[in-house]
Amino acid sequence: MCGIVGYIGKRDATPILLEGLHRLEYRGYDSAGIAVVRDGALRTAKCKGRVRDLEQVVPPRFRGSPGIAHTRWATHGEPSDRNAHPHLDTAERIAVIHNGIIENAAALRRRLEGEGVAFRSETDTEVLAHLIAAMPGESLLERVRAALRLVTGTWGLAVLDRDRPESIVVARNGSPVVLGIGDKEMFVASDPSALVRHTKSVVHLDDGEIAEVRADGFASSTLDGGPTEKVRHTVTWTDESFDKGSFTHHMRKEIDEQPDAVRATLSGRLEPRFQTSHLGGIEMTARELLDIRRVKVLGCGSAYIAGLLGAQLIEQLARLPASAEPASEFRYRNPVIEPDTLYIAVSQSGETFDTLAAVQEVKRKGGRVLGIVNVVGSTIARECGRGIYIHAGPEVAVVSTKTFTCTATAFALLALHLGRIRDLSTAQGARLIAGLKALPEQIGAVLAQEADIAGLASQLARAEHAYFVGRASGYPVAMEGALKLKEVSYLHAEAYPASELKHGPLALIAPETPTIVVLPRDDLFPKNISTIEEIRARKGPVFVVTHEGDLPVPVDGVMRVAKSEPELDPILLGLPLQLLAYHVALARGCDIDKPRNLAKSVTVE
């Protein structure tokens, strides 16, 4: 969740590092800091708050190279100046920045205090700085390697040695580290977004690897010292992709990008000749796919909810039993891994720690797993080895919008592919292909209704609680709508299956508590109208997201979308709820792109 940036080369590191920290702000953080080496001295600056606050405390002429910088999301110790990274050893020779958690930090701290070390912070990371300084070894690499052999936990870290400024040592175990390769200069980051202004050529470290990074290149190895071979990847995103452009917020920009993002997800993947989809990245033959007897989708947050939609699509179109489960729960319950089950891991960043751990558990027990991921070359994508990239482009806002829509679209492609291998007819395949082709234009039409949705948002912004309900495929849409609203506006929102309303949640309905009903015009339309009547009978305000046409009951607000194919309707029905959440947050004066306590890429447990 924290951010790491490093630079070594002939240029002054400070502006590069601060710029990189700004690029990583979306990951979520509460403090920031920087360290550079110049003329044999280690210079540091750090503070609680935003990167802009750090820029105010960085002294004039704060120059040097190499350098490292960090944004921290508190785990051990409250957000404060002294707990911000980098952390130094007693002699202020070693500087460390670290993402992750050192699980045996308390025991190591007691050992070091027994040796006379006085700690300045409450963090687990400061333990690393003192431990590295205490290790024997001629080089910084040897010292870091020796220290990490004593450590239990997760880390993505970068280390500077004031007395050996010719290198930065980095290591990874459970938290991403990326090396950027330049012209006689090298970059380090926890996310390629911090590097794209300077290089498109990157290398991803794997768990258990350590690397010595010099201006003219790098050498990677295992903690035991064995050399490792790394493959370069090319980052396709441009620097401009991370800017807001003419929009006030990244979230609003990314909502607006959805027609083009869905086009990119579909590009080259529709096969009208055989009325199916072409998904070469799954690397499984028709015979192997026919052997699949069930599907299990794993993800966290919006990725999990997209997985619920995906599981329903697979059941509908391929007639395979399918379900979705939070990856964070799956990995802890000693799951039974079946050889005829296909596991699908979903993650926007491709670095979500719980999802990665679930993938590793499936693989350890001999299961087959595919990834549905946005970031090319990310850890989950590499760990799975096969799957579907959604190609949504960078998503900077913490709140997922376009990647949710594109993930649901990717699931539709996969369900179509599985269905056509099985019993889905050519006529049904043609119907779905036509529906998928129409999605980008239909998405644009929904977004054109923003002014009307903003008017409804002004009414909701005055509420303290809101409830979302839906049936069948409408329930995941309701879940995602509630999640968006609570994430970005801090308005308490919960989602329930409409069929469960009278089994308890109906007690919460009151005149001051609005309910948003997902109301597709399908076979369940009459039952959903009955749900609305139940809410109105308790004088609860009702807002609906539905298709074109008159409603047989009065409601307090309507958001309408075009009718698609029934299997694809949830993709369109979710769009007004994104705009609704955005405008409620705007009306409530919230920090839309960086909601409190949240992060885009959750790389800790």
Side-chain angles (χ1 to χ4, degrees), residues 226-373:
T228 59
E229 295 294 327
K230 307 306 298 178
V231 177
R232 294 191 188 191
H233 295 271
T234 300
V235 179
T236 57
W237 296 344
T238 64
D239 183 47
E240 291 75 18
S241 302
F242 294 89
D243 293 331
K244 290 194 289 279
S246 61
F247 293 90
T248 306
H249 300 99
H250 283 288
M251 180 182 176
R252 182 62 192 84
K253 173 177 178 275
E254 288 154 10
I255 289 173
D256 199 66
E257 289 173 341
Q258 289 178 107
D260 287 338
V262 168
R263 286 190 186 96
T265 301
L266 296 173
S267 180
R269 288 171 167 167
L270 296 177
E271 181 53 80
R273 180 182 175 190
F274 298 108
Q275 311 302 347
T276 188
S277 59
H278 175 70
L279 299 172
I282 63 176
E283 296 182 357
M284 294 179 70
T285 66
R287 172 51 56 193
E288 289 175 308
L289 291 171
L290 280 171
D291 289 339
I292 298 298
R293 291 292 172 261
R294 71 184 72 250
V295 175
K296 169 74 77 172
V297 185
L298 305 169
C300 298
S302 286
Y304 159 62
I305 298 172
L308 287 171
L309 283 175
Q312 292 185 2
L313 280 164
I314 289 167
E315 282 206 344
Q316 287 173 317
L317 299 178
R319 306 307 300 154
L320 274 169
S323 62
E325 182 177 350
S328 50
E329 293 296 315
F330 175 86
R331 57 176 294 228
Y332 285 121
R333 63 173 180 80
N334 191 23
V336 176
I337 304 301
E338 301 168 307
D340 57 359
T341 296
L342 178 63
Y343 296 86
I344 302 174
V346 186
S347 171
Q348 185 284 135
S349 66
E351 303 292 349
T352 309
F353 185 85
D354 285 316
T355 306
L356 175 61
V359 169
Q360 292 168 339
E361 177 73 358
V362 171
K363 291 181 65 179
R364 186 180 69 81
K365 293 183 174 181
R368 289 177 287 191
V369 60
L370 301 180
I372 297 183
V373 173

Side-chain angles (χ1 to χ4, degrees), residues 68-81:
I68 55 177
H70 191 262
T71 51
R72 175 181 186 253
W73 186 83
T75 54
H76 290 65
E78 66 181 6
S80 66
D81 292 355

Side-chain angles (χ1 to χ4, degrees), residues 370-429:
L370 301 180
I372 297 183
V373 173
N374 189 36
V375 180
V376 175
S378 56
T379 305
I380 291 173
R382 290 182 288 117
E383 189 77 29
C384 291
R386 54 190 175 186
I388 304 170
Y389 283 121
I390 65 173
H391 298 308
E395 188 173 69
V396 176
V398 168
V399 174
S400 173
T401 53
K402 66 176 180 177
T403 57
F404 178 85
T405 301
C406 290
T407 300
T409 303
F411 269 117
L413 290 169
L414 179 60
L416 172 60
H417 186 78
L418 294 173
R420 288 291 291 122
I421 287 172
R422 293 172 180 269
D423 298 323
L424 193 71
S425 69
T426 55
Q428 294 285 62

